[in-house]
Amino acid sequence: MDFALQMWGGLFYLSNKVFFALAEGKDPARKRQLKIIGWSVYLLGVPAWIIILLAKQNWIAASLELGGVPAMFLGLYCVWSKCRNAPVLFDRFAAFSTYFFLIFGTCYSIYDYGGLTSLSQFLEIIAATGFLLGSYLLAKNKLTGWIFFMLMNSSMAALMLVNAKYILAAQQGVSLCVVIYGFVTAITVRDRIAATT
């Protein structure tokens, strides 16, 4: 069962990064299609990650997965409806969920462990920050979301190594490479557009 969960969560999250990276630099219609697929597979990978993280008592990381779901739906909605600015209430709900679950997961982890006492907790906090802010910023088409994803992938790879989840650790390493590619492509496209205007 553990192997199946790692494959499920790992492949869907890696696919998300691949579709996002491939979307950069494409014509608007193709970019939209790739981002819709990217947000969709992201959502489909969430249950596996939550099960794996709860089984290892990674409360912060599990909370971040759950808290990131509204930001994923926000990203999907914005791409699907071609909106430049998300509806204010939807945007605020995604932001509230992001911060609420980050605080909730951190507090519960501190309670459960009796403080910040383990390396995994610190890795979870870094991964949580990268994941939640990265998802939220990418949902709002901000390039800085890629940087937070780099932080998240690095920390999550280390956390999976600590938890002896080697398939997911390798997937996070590959995801990091894909995220770097996506970021570089996005910067290149932005600079090319700026040079022609």
Side-chain angles (χ1 to χ4, degrees), residues 15 17 22 44 47 56-57 69 80 91 97 101 114 118 125 132 136 146 153 162 171 173 178 186 196:
S15 298
K17 306 303 181 301
L22 291 175
L44 293 172
K56 288 292 186 176
Q57 294 184 298
V69 169
W80 187 272
D91 188 22
S97 176
F101 279 99
S118 72
I125 289 170
L132 292 173
Y136 182 70
W146 288 110
N153 285 131
V162 168
Q171 175 268 324
V178 173
T196 59

Side-chain angles (χ1 to χ4, degrees), residues 1-186:
M1 181 66 169
D2 185 64
F3 177 77
L5 286 170
Q6 287 189 63
M7 292 300 292
W8 171 13
L11 288 175
F12 276 90
Y13 270 33
L14 177 59
S15 298
N16 157 259
K17 306 303 181 301
V18 169
F19 285 116
F20 275 11
L22 291 175
E24 296 297 341
K26 298 291 189 278
D27 66 87
R30 185 68 178 141
K31 181 174 187 167
R32 180 172 175 263
Q33 290 171 342
L34 291 169
K35 284 200 169 190
I36 287 171
I37 296 169
W39 284 115
S40 299
V41 297
Y42 210 4
L43 285 161
L44 293 172
V46 169
W49 275 97
I50 290 174
I51 293 166
I52 289 166
L53 293 167
L54 288 177
K56 288 292 186 176
Q57 294 184 298
N58 295 134
W59 308 117
I60 301 168
S63 290
L64 80 92
E65 294 294 335
L66 188 57
V69 169
M72 293 178 201
F73 275 112
L74 176 66
L76 182 59
Y77 173 82
C78 286
V79 174
W80 187 272
S81 64
K82 301 180 186 177
C83 66
R84 283 204 166 282
N85 296 311
V88 175
L89 286 177
F90 197 173
D91 188 22
R92 287 184 182 162
F93 176 71
F96 172 79
S97 176
T98 296
Y99 295 116
F100 173 80
F101 279 99
L102 180 58
I103 292 166
F104 173 78
T106 302
C107 290
Y108 190 78
S109 181
I110 290 169
Y111 166 77
D112 188 47
Y113 282 89
L116 290 173
T117 60
S118 72
L119 172 63
S120 69
Q121 287 175 294
F122 289 103
L123 292 172
E124 286 181 81
I125 289 170
I126 295 167
T129 303
F131 175 78
L132 292 173
L133 292 177
S135 297
Y136 182 70
L137 290 168
L138 283 177
K140 295 177 69 72
N141 287 317
K142 306 281 186 195
L143 292 183
T144 50
W146 288 110
I147 295 170
F148 281 102
F149 267 17
M150 290 178 212
L151 179 68
M152 180 266 299
N153 285 131
S154 302
S155 301
M156 194 59 87
L159 179 64
M160 291 301 103
L161 284 173
V162 168
N163 288 335
K165 302 291 184 190
Y166 302 114
I167 294 170
L168 291 177
Q171 175 268 324
Q172 290 294 320
V174 174
S175 285
L176 178 61
C177 295
V178 173
V179 166
I180 291 169
Y181 168 81
F183 179 67
V184 170
T185 304

